[in-house]
Amino acid sequence: MSRLIVVSNRVNPPANPGEASTGGLAMALSAALREYKGLWFGWSGQTTDEFNGRLSIQKVGGVTVATVDLEAHDFDEYYNGFANRTLWPLFHYRIDLTAYDRSYGEGYARVNQRFAETLAPLIESDDLVWVHDYHLIPLATGLRRQGIAGPIGFFLHIPWPPHQLLATLPRARELVESLFDYDLIGFHTGEWLDAFRDYVLKEAGGVEGPDGRLQAFGKSVRAIADPIGIDAADFAQASRSEAADEHFETMVNSAGGRAIIVGVDRLDYSKGLEDRFLAYERFLEDNPEWRERCFLLQIAPTSRGELEAYQDIRADLETLTGRINGAYAALDWTPIRYVNRNYRRDELAGVYRAARVGLVTPLRDGMNLVAKEYVAAQDPDDPGVLILSRFAGAAVQMPEALIVNPFSQEDVADALRRALEMPREERITRWRALMDGVERDDVLAWREAFVEALEATRREEPAPSPAV
Ligand code: GDG
């Protein structure tokens, strides 16, 4: 069996299975690499005065990790800059928040080249290399320059934007061209895959070959949809742990018989928290009989706190929470409990289980793992109801959820009422269908499908394609 070399910007497997590790990617990759012969390479999270390419190799939670430090201005230009001020907002359809700066692009190219030079000596001829996410799109180009000829795959964890949006990015074409140095590109859904194909065909003058490979820039690549899942078995176990039971009890006791509506999201504008709070306010306004009989618990650990857009959303949510609580609270009832901290994964499982409704309403999301975790944590005999945004990649796989338009306060408010009043039999029927999907399409199925497709590219004879 070949070794699997996984590459991502941050390398942070949880040291113990139940431990906190915020972010879908960290959860998914540590689950995928456990029990697999291989290596996880990326940035250490530390900065240094001058880049030295020195590797730190250690074993964390059963996974071998190799990390390298970056310079402080690399962090500013590559991570805070091009990755999170340019690509993240643009790929989440927020051109209003997208910042372009030449230095960001330069930092992005420089760090990808540094990663390629540091990683290349670790790669053996039989290895499969699997690169993750928007921080590292040009990595394969750097690795090819270093003489790496074996299979390299790329997985995008966020949406791929429509071609007209992507066209607003200076040098978008160059970015797309660099993807053609991979053998395989994976997206969560057919929608993101179609948007990528659209750009290649409409903007880059490419064609789709008879073998299904996309051809452009004198090269060809295979692109697939491969939806990510959670480690369902591990999560089910976490939800039966002592910590989960304790948190379940705490929530039930503190709820005092009221129904809990739960939201769990990194504090990010793509997650639609402001619209969610407004929809909940609308629900309270429209349904006076539900006031004091339920509350919204929003867990939102801070992320990317150095960036202004993230500071703004934090301030806006605090104001909004204050306003809604001020308008509706009673002596013994707070409509919104808004918590800005991180919980352990097993604790979170107990909180999910105690909640009658899981409210997952991103404005745009590559997949969304919280929706799947909420389902996995439910009591089969008395499950809660998932409300899910149609703009999360997960919506395609989870039609038995109450699917909503997160931009419509009315729609979300109606779904809240329907969820809270849903009879037990209907809850069970919907949950069973959702749970079957969560168990079947889990993180291992995602990894297997990608690795098999990447392995298969070794046997493909890329058709010669005209330079465009
Ligand atoms: C990206 C894409 C895609 C959150 N708060 C706590 C906590 N979390 C965990 C959740 C979940 C993960 O973070 C969030 O995953 P999501 O998938 O919802 O979102 P992103 O972080 O934006 O992930 C996304 C994903 O990559 C995978 O491809 O689905 O679309 O944007 O696992 O549980 N975990 C703990 N404490 C918290 O307070 N322990």
Side-chain angles (χ1 to χ4, degrees):
M1 193 191 201
S2 340
R3 286 196 317 169
L4 182 64
I5 311 278
V6 164
V7 191
S8 66
N9 169 59
R10 282 303 304 276
V11 176
N12 47 357
N16 301 299
E19 217 159 77
S21 175
T22 309
L25 192 114
M27 290 317 308
L29 292 189
S30 47
L33 261 176
R34 233 176 286 132
E35 297 163 25
Y36 212 95
K37 197 169 125 233
L39 181 75
W40 185 355
F41 172 86
W43 175 40
S44 62
Q46 306 293 320
T47 54
T48 170
D49 289 343
E50 203 170 322
F51 182 76
N52 54 30
R54 211 171 292 139
L55 279 167
S56 150
I57 299 185
Q58 43 186 309
K59 218 160 169 103
V60 186
V63 175
T64 305
V65 302
T67 56
V68 66
D69 298 344
L70 289 177
E71 289 174 17
H73 81 294
D74 285 343
F75 175 66
D76 281 343
E77 294 171 357
Y78 144 82
Y79 181 76
N80 279 336
F82 200 73
N84 286 327
R85 281 202 180 94
T86 308
L87 293 181
W88 176 273
L90 179 65
F91 280 43
H92 287 88
Y93 299 39
R94 291 299 300 269
I95 35 178
D96 57 319
L97 295 176
T98 304
Y100 305 107
D101 187 305
R102 190 186 291 261
S103 71
Y104 296 170
E106 287 165 2
Y108 187 69
R110 182 176 64 244
V111 169
N112 271 277
Q113 183 58 26
R114 286 178 168 173
F115 275 158
E117 285 166 11
T118 315
L119 174 62
L122 302 180
I123 300 175
E124 292 164 17
S125 59
D126 219 26
D127 291 345
L128 293 170
V129 181
W130 188 5
V131 179
H132 291 265
D133 233 1
Y134 58 101
H135 316 84
L136 300 174
I137 291 174
L139 190 71
T141 308
L143 289 173
R144 299 294 184 213
R145 263 190 233 126
Q146 298 295 312
I148 303 299
I152 311 181
F154 176 79
F155 193 88
L156 185 70
H157 289 261
I158 64 176
W160 184 271
H163 79 273
Q164 294 282 26
L165 270 189
L166 186 59
T168 65
L169 177 73
R171 307 172 78 171
R173 200 181 151 88
E174 202 176 293
L175 193 75
V176 174
E177 179 172 0
S178 63
L179 280 168
F180 278 73
D181 281 322
Y182 289 95
D183 296 283
L184 179 72
I185 307 171
F187 300 93
H188 286 309
T189 67
E191 187 181 348
W192 316 141
L193 171 60
D194 287 347
F196 174 70
R197 185 188 291 115
D198 231 35
Y199 186 94
V200 172
L201 304 185
K202 293 192 178 131
E203 292 279 336
V207 294
E208 191 160 2
D211 59 353
R213 290 174 71 95
L214 291 169
Q215 303 172 4
F217 312 104
K219 303 173 205 168
S220 79
V221 70
R222 180 167 295 288
I224 59 169
D226 180 18
I228 202 170
I230 61 167
D231 189 340
D234 179 71
F235 202 82
Q237 201 179 338
S239 67
R240 285 191 302 267
S241 65
E242 213 171 294
D245 284 347
E246 267 170 33
H247 277 70
F248 174 79
E249 292 297 330
T250 308
M251 284 313 305
V252 170
N253 292 337
S254 85
R258 294 181 172 112
I260 303 170
I261 301 163
V262 74
V264 176
D265 309 78
R266 280 186 308 100
L267 193 51
D268 191 294
Y269 47 80
S270 67
K271 303 294 181 184
L273 294 169
E274 242 181 298
D275 294 87
R276 183 181 308 171
F277 283 16
L278 290 169
Y280 174 67
E281 181 183 39
R282 176 69 184 261
F283 163 76
L284 295 177
E285 184 58 37
D286 291 353
N287 300 280
E289 71 283 11
W290 271 104
R291 292 180 204 159
E292 303 192 38
R293 287 175 57 213
C294 67
F295 64 92
L296 170 62
L297 168 66
Q298 177 63 54
I299 296 176
T302 312
S303 77
R304 303 174 195 166
E306 305 87 1
L307 304 190
E308 208 182 313
Y310 289 78
Q311 293 157 7
D312 288 350
I313 176 200
R314 185 170 180 166
D316 290 348
L317 285 172
E318 278 163 11
T319 309
L320 202 51
T321 308
R323 178 163 72 70
I324 297 171
N325 281 343
Y328 289 96
L331 282 178
D332 64 345
W333 176 60
T334 310
I336 302 182
R337 296 188 195 174
Y338 174 49
V339 191
N340 261 154
R341 55 157 281 202
N342 212 315
Y343 286 87
R344 286 170 53 99
R345 191 166 140 76
D346 43 11
E347 296 171 343
L348 214 50
V351 175
Y352 285 138
R353 179 148 47 99
R356 174 44 37 108
V357 181
L359 191 53
V360 183
T361 55
L363 304 180
R364 195 67 59 176
D365 215 333
M367 171 56 67
N368 195 292
L369 295 178
V370 169
K372 298 185 174 187
E373 291 168 358
Y374 175 76
V375 167
Q378 295 308 299
D379 172 358
D381 294 325
D382 190 19
V385 179
L386 175 66
I387 297 180
L388 180 60
S389 162
R390 56 173 293 180
F391 300 117
V396 185
Q397 289 177 296
M398 306 182 93
E400 298 84 4
L402 297 184
I403 302 293
V404 293
N405 172 4
F407 294 93
S408 162
Q409 290 162 25
E410 260 172 44
D411 199 21
V412 177
D414 289 351
L416 276 170
R417 186 192 171 111
R418 195 168 158 211
L420 288 165
E421 295 175 358
M422 190 178 286
R424 183 162 159 268
E425 303 79 72
E426 184 180 348
R427 283 190 275 120
I428 292 177
T429 311
R430 286 175 180 272
W431 174 80
R432 190 63 262 170
L434 288 168
M435 188 62 183
D436 287 347
V438 167
E439 284 176 329
R440 185 187 56 237
D441 303 323
D442 69 352
V443 73
L444 298 177
W446 168 73
R447 184 200 69 189
E448 293 305 315
F450 193 90
V451 171
E452 262 172 39
L454 184 57
E455 186 69 64
T457 62
R458 285 191 210 268
R459 298 186 292 275
E460 287 180 357
E461 276 294 318
S465 88
V468 180

